[in-house]
Amino acid sequence: MNREEYIEIAGKLADGLATEHEVRQFNAYYNQYQSVYPEWDRVMASEKKAILDTMHQRINKTINEKNGGRRIRLTRWMSAIAAVLAIVVFGIYFFSQNSQQSIYKNDLAPGRNKAVLTLANGKKINLSDAKSGIVIKASQLTYTDGAAIVAIAGKKAEITTISTPRGGQYNIELPDGTTVALNAASTLKFPATFSGANNRLVELSGEGYFEVAKDKKHPFIVKSAGQEVEVLGTHFNLNAYADERAVATTLVEGSVKVSSGSHVQVIKPGEQALSNGSGIRVNPVNIENVTDWKEGAFSLNHLDFKSAMRKISRWYDVDVIYEGAFPDDMESGGWISRSNPLSAVLKLIESSGQVHFRLEGKKLYVSK
């Protein structure tokens, strides 16, 4: 098989459409692939397992949907799943002739857990990257392991702010038990307590994944960039970066109401509401491609190239500079862990043959 045939059959396997002959052909090539590219053996065992578990879930879900919930075909193809894992996650990377040595004079480390908490009195607290999140209680602020930092007054009028920089992420549990995962370059404003209020109102800029505690008497409302999302208790992702074309609300479970001016839409799980100030458009969406950041990955398949680069810019705290014109319908591709250094992500994208990168300090130049 050549490279194109290998990738085509990998796609069939992932979709549950490969024939028995193609499975045998793929496995034979995979065995050769392992011997030719021993770098695969140097990948950390914990990362192999994490990626393999993800692939199991995705392929299992696809096969179940295509077979009315029956799981028998997955067992027959267990050996093939490992092959799909290799090609989808690392295979294309090793096909690149430049993969054996870095083509960058310097490299950038991935983002980490870091944020700044600003209290109502203006006091700022740098949240340590040794922790992944904090818990807010009605009159107390604590790390998730219970180590107290500082007491807050607990008056509902007092607004507390938590902000992540580019290259940062953080988790927070609000006084009502709602949890919010904040992506890079994001800010969440919330009252020190929801006690005595008719609703639970917060404000978001950037991106956050919300798991809202159920409370039918007190709706949870998120304000962001000209729209409001109202829920009683559900899971959803909200992308409200100022440099994106629209505010994207993606529902994972439950039900949410999205309002923008006189426009109102109620969306169902697996749907995304796009609000740009002139209306709300609802589309079906692949949730995994939206919540990839929360799972520690870049899922770039069928994502427009400039959107992909904005994700990368925020996570690696790098400025992207385009040399020449790039069409708006140009797409990226690939899947890779966000724990990789920037060079690994760029090499994956470069393997498509569409673009070339040049990294100078914290400026990333992109050319065709």
Side-chain angles (χ1 to χ4, degrees):
M1 279 190 294
N2 59 32
R3 174 188 175 190
E4 287 71 25
E5 291 171 329
Y6 186 38
I7 296 173
E8 181 181 357
I9 294 180
K12 288 183 179 181
L13 282 166
D15 289 336
L17 301 175
T19 66
E20 293 291 344
H21 172 71
E22 287 172 327
V23 172
R24 289 194 297 269
Q25 187 181 16
F26 193 93
N27 284 338
Y29 193 87
Y30 174 61
N31 291 334
Q32 177 186 1
Y33 165 83
Q34 283 187 305
S35 64
V36 173
Y37 297 100
E39 292 89 348
W40 171 249
D41 293 330
R42 293 200 287 268
V43 177
M44 291 176 57
S46 59
E47 187 164 357
K48 282 183 180 178
K49 183 180 184 303
I51 299 170
L52 182 59
D53 289 343
T54 300
M55 291 300 296
H56 281 183
Q57 294 170 7
R58 291 180 179 177
I59 296 174
N60 195 5
K61 178 181 178 182
T62 299
I63 293 176
N64 285 343
E65 291 174 350
K66 294 180 181 295
N67 292 277
R70 292 184 286 121
R71 302 170 68 91
I72 56 174
R73 296 175 69 189
L74 182 59
T75 303
R76 286 167 52 197
W77 289 356
M78 288 300 285
S79 62
I81 292 176
V84 176
L85 161 69
I87 185 62
V88 172
V89 183
F90 293 100
I92 297 176
Y93 173 87
F94 291 123
F95 272 118
S96 171
Q97 294 181 353
N98 294 321
S99 64
Q100 304 303 319
Q101 58 184 358
S102 177
I103 61 174
Y104 306 106
K105 294 180 181 179
N106 63 312
D107 205 350
L108 295 179
R112 62 186 193 273
N113 292 312
K114 57 181 177 179
V116 175
L117 188 76
T118 304
L119 304 181
N121 60 9
K123 181 177 180 179
K124 295 183 182 294
I125 302 171
N126 290 318
L127 300 177
S128 168
D129 65 355
K131 308 293 180 181
S132 63
I134 59 172
V135 177
I136 302 293
K137 295 183 179 179
S139 59
Q140 186 181 21
L141 176 64
T142 64
Y143 274 114
T144 52
D145 66 357
I149 304 175
V150 63
I152 56 179
K155 296 178 181 179
K156 66 180 181 179
E158 293 186 341
I159 300 299
T160 304
T161 302
I162 183 169
S163 299
T164 56
R166 293 206 306 177
Q169 64 181 14
Y170 225 73
N171 299 324
I172 181 170
E173 182 177 322
L174 299 176
D176 65 333
T178 293
T179 60
V180 187
L182 284 183
N183 202 352
S186 300
T187 297
L188 180 71
K189 295 181 179 181
F190 55 93
T193 177
F194 294 117
S195 178
N198 295 326
N199 55 41
R200 298 169 287 168
L201 177 65
V202 302
E203 294 185 28
L204 174 75
S205 61
E207 185 168 24
Y209 183 89
F210 292 77
E211 296 185 8
V212 179
K214 289 181 170 57
D215 185 347
K216 294 183 178 179
K217 295 182 179 180
H218 301 91
F220 192 95
I221 299 173
V222 185
K223 295 181 64 176
S224 58
Q227 77 158 36
E228 289 188 358
V229 176
E230 181 177 333
V231 304
L232 298 177
T234 187
H235 296 187
F236 65 95
N237 190 86
L238 181 57
N239 184 324
Y241 286 112
D243 57 356
E244 295 294 343
R245 298 174 184 173
V247 178
T249 306
T250 306
L251 185 58
V252 177
E253 66 176 53
S255 177
V256 305
K257 181 173 71 173
V258 181
S259 304
S260 178
S262 61
H263 304 280
V264 178
Q265 290 280 359
V266 176
I267 60 175
K268 300 177 294 186
E271 291 183 336
Q272 182 181 78
L274 296 173
S275 171
N276 59 9
S278 61
I280 302 173
R281 187 173 76 254
V282 177
N283 299 316
V285 70
N286 184 329
I287 291 177
E288 290 179 343
N289 288 345
V290 175
T291 61
D292 55 346
W293 67 273
K294 182 176 174 290
E295 305 304 325
F298 287 114
S299 180
L300 306 177
N301 287 323
H302 305 300
L303 180 67
D304 78 78
F305 178 72
K306 289 185 178 180
S307 291
M309 294 312 301
R310 286 193 290 272
K311 283 188 174 188
I312 292 168
S313 171
R314 297 175 193 127
W315 185 235
Y316 291 96
D317 188 14
V318 62
D319 296 322
V320 177
I321 301 170
Y322 295 96
E323 298 182 316
F326 283 78
D328 291 336
D329 60 352
M330 178 178 168
E331 291 188 348
S332 60
W335 183 98
I336 192 168
S337 170
R338 291 211 312 176
S339 64
N340 281 292
L342 176 60
S343 61
V345 180
L346 301 183
K347 286 177 182 178
L348 175 66
I349 298 175
E350 278 189 330
S351 68
S352 69
Q354 297 185 93
V355 298
H356 175 72
F357 296 106
R358 187 177 81 257
L359 181 62
E360 297 180 2
K362 285 202 170 186
K363 294 186 183 298
L364 180 61
Y365 295 88
V366 190
S367 58
K368 285 189 178 180

